[in-house]
Amino acid sequence: RELLAEPGKHEGCSGTRKVDDVISDLRAQAAANNRGSALLNELIDAYSLEVVNAYMGHVQENAELAVRSMLRSMACELMARGGVEDTKGGHKVKLTSTDYMDDGSPIQLELTIAATDGSAFFDFTGTGAQVYGNWNCPEAVTYAAIIYCLRALVGTEIPLNQGCFAPIKAHVPENSLLSPADGAAVVGGNVLTSQRVTDVVLSAFQAAANSQVKQACWHRNVSLLLVVGYVSESCVSASGLHEQFYFRK
């Protein structure tokens, strides 16, 4: 409790306003981790550490193969369809997509897919600089948006795991909207900007028309300065699937 109240000792700052809620959340997280640890130990007792480690590797290897297969198929399909930049003698395809935040900040992606080994390079060079607002997006959230899109595009059922990233490399410019400096406000980036990153990635893959992506989910972050302090809430609305919306299967 003393640690959570510590910021309130400094002029112009306040400590945690809902101490009991925060402590309850921390206890719940600790309990979830303890339960997960207990279940893992049960698994090891039943099958041995060697077998459990092996299957953890198998799950990640399977995810890598699934993503590579999807990327190879995607590259070949896009080259056959035409209208994309073909590099390296037909072995790589380059795709681009750009979208904008409400303040005009661009989120720009150049995606290069190698048809030979099923690898991909996500280059966010050209993305706008970090902002003074609170919708800067931590780099980890940017990567989370990428892996979400990859798993959504894979045609097989795989658990979400680090193996999905094995064929992937990415560049996110420092001090940009998607990789802000320490101290930049990021409360809205996890819920607001991450959705725009997802839109840009899916649009680059031509998995859905950009207008349909935007229609699929409308999202705004509402920030309120109340008597009790600062509050940030997400307001989301969405349109259901429609016969005129032709999403990629």
Side-chain angles (χ1 to χ4, degrees):
R1 288 179 179 270
E2 292 180 2
L3 182 62
L4 294 173
E6 179 66 26
K9 298 178 181 179
H10 302 278
E11 184 178 356
C13 299
S14 63
T16 300
R17 294 180 294 276
K18 297 289 185 178
V19 176
D20 290 336
D21 289 353
V22 173
I23 291 176
S24 295
D25 286 343
L26 292 173
R27 286 174 175 168
Q29 292 179 40
N33 286 327
N34 288 334
R35 180 56 177 160
S37 176
L39 291 172
L40 186 58
N41 283 326
E42 289 179 14
L43 203 61
I44 292 172
D45 291 340
Y47 297 100
S48 80
L49 178 60
E50 182 180 5
V51 171
V52 171
N53 278 335
Y55 272 88
M56 286 183 174
H58 298 332
V59 168
Q60 294 186 57
E61 289 168 4
N62 179 64
E64 176 184 353
L65 291 173
V67 172
R68 286 190 185 275
S69 177
M70 179 274 291
L71 290 171
R72 279 194 294 265
S73 298
M74 182 77 71
C76 294
E77 177 183 332
L78 291 171
M79 286 187 287
R81 189 188 306 171
V84 296
E85 184 178 347
D86 187 358
T87 63
K88 302 294 184 181
H91 298 301
K92 290 187 177 182
V93 61
K94 187 174 293 185
L95 307 160
T96 59
S97 179
T98 305
D99 207 343
Y100 300 88
M101 304 298 292
D102 284 352
D103 69 339
S105 297
I107 296 178
Q108 185 169 318
L109 171 63
E110 182 178 87
L111 170 61
T112 304
I113 307 174
T116 50
D117 63 355
S119 62
F121 178 56
F122 292 76
D123 187 358
F124 288 93
T125 298
T127 293
Q130 68 183 50
V131 297
Y132 287 111
N134 65 5
W135 57 91
N136 296 291
C137 184
E139 191 167 342
V141 176
T142 302
Y143 280 94
I146 294 174
I147 197 172
Y148 164 79
C149 293
L150 292 173
R151 186 170 180 265
L153 292 170
V154 167
T156 57
E157 293 292 334
I158 59 172
L160 191 63
N161 64 82
Q162 189 65 22
C164 296
F165 258 129
I168 304 302
K169 291 183 179 180
H171 170 68
V172 184
E174 293 184 359
N175 301 320
S176 70
L177 184 64
L178 304 184
S179 183
D182 292 343
V186 296
V187 66
N190 185 43
V191 291
L192 179 64
T193 312
S194 61
Q195 292 202 17
R196 190 57 64 225
V197 175
T198 301
D199 291 349
V200 169
V201 173
L202 291 175
S203 177
F205 274 109
Q206 299 183 16
N210 200 37
S211 61
Q212 292 174 5
V213 172
K214 291 178 181 177
Q215 290 176 26
C217 186
W218 178 92
H219 186 186
R220 290 294 181 269
N221 199 54
V222 180
S223 299
L224 304 173
L225 185 59
L226 305 176
V227 175
V228 296
Y230 180 83
V231 178
S232 180
E233 291 293 343
S234 298
C235 298
V236 181
S237 66
S239 61
L241 292 179
H242 189 276
E243 61 182 3
Q244 295 181 356
F245 293 174
Y246 299 103
F247 289 92
R248 183 182 183 278
K249 294 181 179 180

